[in-house]
Amino acid sequence: MEKILNYINGELVEPTSGNYLDNYNPSNGQVYSLVPDSEESDINNAVLAAKEAFNSWSKTPKQERANILMKLADTIEKYSSELIKAESKDNGKPENLAAHVDIPRAPANIRFFAGAILHDSSQMHEMDGVAINYTLRQPVGVAACISPWNLPLYLLTWKIAPALASGNTVVAKPSEITPMTAFMLSKICIEAGLPKGILNIVHGLGSKIGDPLTTHIDTPIISFTGGTVTGKHIARVTAPMFKKVSLELGGKNPNIIFADADFDKAVSTAARAAFTNQGQICLCGSRLFIQEEIYKKFKIALIEKTKKLKVGDPKEISSNLGAIVSKEHMNKILSKIEEAKKLGGKILIGGKRVILDGELKDGYYIEPTIIEGLSSDCDINQTEIFGPVVSLIPFKTEAEVIDMANSTKYGLSASIFTENISKGHRVAANIDSGVVWINTWLLRDLRIPFGGMKQSGVGREGGFKSLDFFTEPKNICVKI
Ligand code: NAD
């Protein structure tokens, strides 16, 4: 069985303990590879390698850093078809989605930040003939980059690209649930000739190697994407060490459909926002607010649309939904659907596990599920489920829907559908979330400040915000 290895100081190495964890293929429920069960000693080795590499990498001219990263991006692209298959097998997502979303974004992330450092500038403040101040932006040191399982290579590269481009070195910890494409990336780094030690990838359980990485004295900067509970823990343990921390956390995103929306566009986008990647995108619209006048018509159209979605073999081009990432997560989603029923929710479509034929009979599939009849403040409508489950909530007025949209502890993203431009802008300005889309969903410009409000995160990543985060500003004051 294939063994995934850690990538430390430019080499593929076994975990020091020699222990491995099972890695599952969610499409058939079978173990298909082994992932290192790393320990503190592996983290220490990786941080040491990164610390040593920092001396030269932080002084490497920007153009040279950009050239090295561009070569890495080219080499990733060379292996696109293998990466697409691997991401789908490891995560359960349709290959078609990995081919259009996940894998193209990996080289795109790297090229974007390799280019961005060549176009960056810093500030100058003149003191009326007395002095000038200028700001140096210098790399911080060894960056700990921790990523989740829902968009494995996409989010890993979203972190390591700006960290490396800015002159930091990195110890990355991908999710133990989807380690395969990070392992493939480490082999690609070797082929691309990435300087030894600038990127290190340590696999293993967050509960075991998370603290040793985030509280290590030589990791002054942490970029984390994952659940709110884990984010709280990281905030708590790192606060006394005064580290720079960026947290990109969970969401319970409202999708607001006004009666004057472009009906067909709103229906198809609402279905996409609810069920893409089996509902396992932090930005998925899982609370669907529909204005009363069109509620019934919209509900019927959404059910019709959902009926046409095929849950099936992730390898087949016709599958719209693949498998849920793990058995534990599938059971959690199913238990939330049961809870919704107990609270009086009516399942309009879906709600059950799907058992596919033959080799895929033990895979983790769930029907796309639409629920109605739950109050906006019940637990199902307040906490993240992170599965193919959307809850319909009618509303009367603009003020009422803004209140309900803002009623959760989260504030990651929102979508508004209306043909009234003024209303769109007005509602967007009043929604507490880091990203608001009007008449669309998941349209991403890599330059925008991306992140969440409230318990959806702290800080922003993307564009120059990422370069700001991964550098330390230093004021130099020169007396004239
Ligand atoms: P998770 O918090 O369980 O794990 C994320 C990563 O943190 C994994 O690599 C895990 O091993 C690691 N980890 C676990 N415990 C740790 C600890 N004590 N210290 C350090 N690292 C630790 O999240 P998940 O289940 O992998 O991902 C799903 C969550 O991620 C959802 O809540 C989703 O909304 C969120 N997410 C947010 C964004 C965003 O941009 N805001 C993007 C994608 C996913």
Side-chain angles (χ1 to χ4, degrees):
M1 189 164 308
E2 185 175 14
K3 264 188 185 170
I4 287 169
L5 297 170
N6 289 333
Y7 173 55
I8 298 178
N9 204 23
E11 285 172 15
L12 300 174
V13 292
E14 304 236 7
T16 45
S17 66
N19 294 334
Y20 287 83
L21 305 159
D22 290 337
N23 187 31
Y24 287 82
N25 174 347
S27 77
N28 61 16
Q30 304 301 311
V31 175
Y32 82 101
S33 59
L34 298 172
V35 57
D37 183 9
S38 299
E39 299 188 332
E40 187 166 1
S41 48
D42 300 290
I43 292 290
N44 291 343
N45 291 343
V47 175
L48 185 64
K51 196 179 170 190
E52 284 176 6
F54 181 74
N55 292 330
S56 59
W57 182 248
S58 58
K59 295 182 186 70
T60 301
K62 289 189 180 69
Q63 182 67 63
E64 206 178 317
R65 292 206 298 257
N67 293 347
I68 289 169
L69 290 172
M70 289 291 188
K71 182 157 182 218
L72 177 61
D74 292 346
T75 317
I76 293 175
E77 208 153 61
K78 189 173 131 189
Y79 290 99
S80 284
S81 56
E82 290 86 346
L83 287 164
I84 289 163
K85 287 189 172 54
E87 200 71 292
S88 165
K89 187 172 179 180
D90 215 23
N91 172 279
K93 66 179 69 209
E95 278 189 10
N96 196 23
L97 184 70
H100 289 97
V101 177
D102 296 71
I103 301 308
R105 263 297 289 280
N109 283 338
I110 294 174
R111 289 188 183 121
F112 176 80
F113 286 108
I117 44 159
L118 302 178
H119 299 271
D120 204 3
S121 60
S122 67
Q123 287 179 311
M124 196 278 280
H125 298 88
E126 192 181 0
M127 295 172 71
D128 299 328
V130 179
I132 53 166
N133 291 273
Y134 64 92
T135 307
L136 286 182
R137 298 209 67 102
Q138 298 177 315
V140 187
V142 179
C145 295
I146 303 171
S147 46
W149 49 255
N150 65 327
L151 298 162
L153 191 65
Y154 173 128
L155 287 172
L156 177 70
T157 51
W158 178 240
K159 294 182 180 305
I160 64 175
L164 290 172
S166 308
N168 302 280
T169 53
V170 171
V171 176
K173 199 214 91 55
S175 171
E176 59 272 35
I177 300 169
T178 52
M180 187 54 86
T181 50
F183 175 50
M184 293 168 74
L185 176 67
S186 51
K187 292 194 269 190
I188 289 169
C189 289
I190 294 172
E191 180 176 328
L194 203 73
K196 282 183 194 297
I198 69 164
L199 172 64
N200 303 274
I201 302 176
V202 183
H203 297 275
L205 297 169
S207 54
K208 202 179 213 176
I209 56 171
D211 280 0
L213 177 59
T214 56
T215 61
H216 197 294
I217 193 158
D218 288 322
T219 56
I221 178 161
I222 297 160
S223 172
F224 170 81
T225 298
T228 295
V229 172
T230 317
K232 272 187 197 172
H233 174 83
I234 293 174
R236 193 165 48 238
V237 296
T238 58
M241 302 181 79
F242 305 109
K243 297 196 177 208
K244 267 191 118 172
V245 180
S246 163
L247 301 171
E248 301 286 350
L249 310 175
K252 187 76 181 177
N253 311 304
N255 193 345
I256 301 170
I257 318 291
F258 284 100
D260 61 6
D262 176 330
F263 188 84
D264 293 339
K265 196 202 298 176
V267 171
S268 57
T269 312
R272 202 163 60 80
F275 303 128
T276 300
N277 206 33
Q278 299 72 247
Q280 302 165 130
I281 298 181
C282 54
L283 305 165
C284 276
S286 52
R287 290 183 297 151
L288 190 48
F289 295 99
I290 307 160
Q291 202 156 22
E292 259 182 11
E293 296 93 302
I294 58 161
Y295 182 85
K296 199 167 166 205
K297 184 176 165 208
F298 194 95
K299 173 174 95 173
I300 292 167
L302 187 69
I303 293 171
E304 284 311 307
K305 190 107 204 150
T306 305
K307 267 186 200 155
K308 295 193 186 107
L309 296 177
K310 184 182 158 201
V311 180
D313 185 347
K315 289 201 194 83
E316 276 176 26
I317 189 102
S318 58
S319 297
N320 303 102
L321 284 83
I324 301 297
V325 74
S326 68
K327 192 172 188 177
E328 293 69 30
H329 193 52
M330 175 184 71
N331 288 336
K332 184 197 137 186
I333 297 166
L334 291 171
S335 76
K336 286 286 175 190
I337 295 171
E338 288 311 306
E339 194 183 319
K341 286 191 214 162
K342 282 192 196 121
L343 288 171
K346 183 173 168 201
I347 309 295
L348 297 174
I349 184 170
K352 293 190 292 299
R353 181 175 179 180
V354 177
I355 305 287
L356 296 181
D357 292 335
E359 285 180 358
L360 305 184
K361 68 180 185 344
D362 295 323
Y364 317 135
Y365 303 89
I366 296 184
E367 294 170 331
T369 301
I370 305 176
I371 306 174
E372 75 169 351
L374 292 173
S375 72
S376 166
D377 59 2
C378 78
D379 184 61
I380 293 295
N381 283 330
Q382 289 286 315
T383 53
E384 188 181 45
I385 297 176
F386 217 52
V389 181
V390 64
S391 175
L392 310 191
I393 305 161
F395 71 92
K396 285 194 176 71
T397 66
E398 205 177 301
E400 182 197 14
V401 77
I402 291 170
D403 267 0
M404 288 195 289
N406 289 340
S407 69
T408 72
K409 65 184 177 190
Y410 304 102
L412 189 56
S413 72
S415 287
I416 300 163
F417 286 82
T418 174
E419 291 296 287
N420 179 329
I421 295 176
S422 304
K423 195 197 300 177
H425 289 297
R426 196 166 57 230
V427 176
N430 282 293
I431 297 286
D432 300 336
S433 65
V435 182
V436 182
W437 285 290
I438 299 180
N439 295 330
T440 187
W441 175 72
L442 201 60
L443 189 54
R444 289 275 291 112
D445 181 327
L446 301 190
R447 296 168 300 175
I448 61 139
F450 177 84
M453 294 183 184
K454 301 195 279 186
Q455 294 194 21
S456 287
V458 177
R460 295 291 181 274
E461 297 188 358
F464 292 120
K465 291 282 175 206
S466 289
L467 298 186
D468 281 350
F469 174 69
F470 282 109
T471 53
E472 198 70 87
K474 183 189 285 177
N475 165 237
I476 314 281
C477 178
V478 187
K479 178 106 174 55
I480 294 171

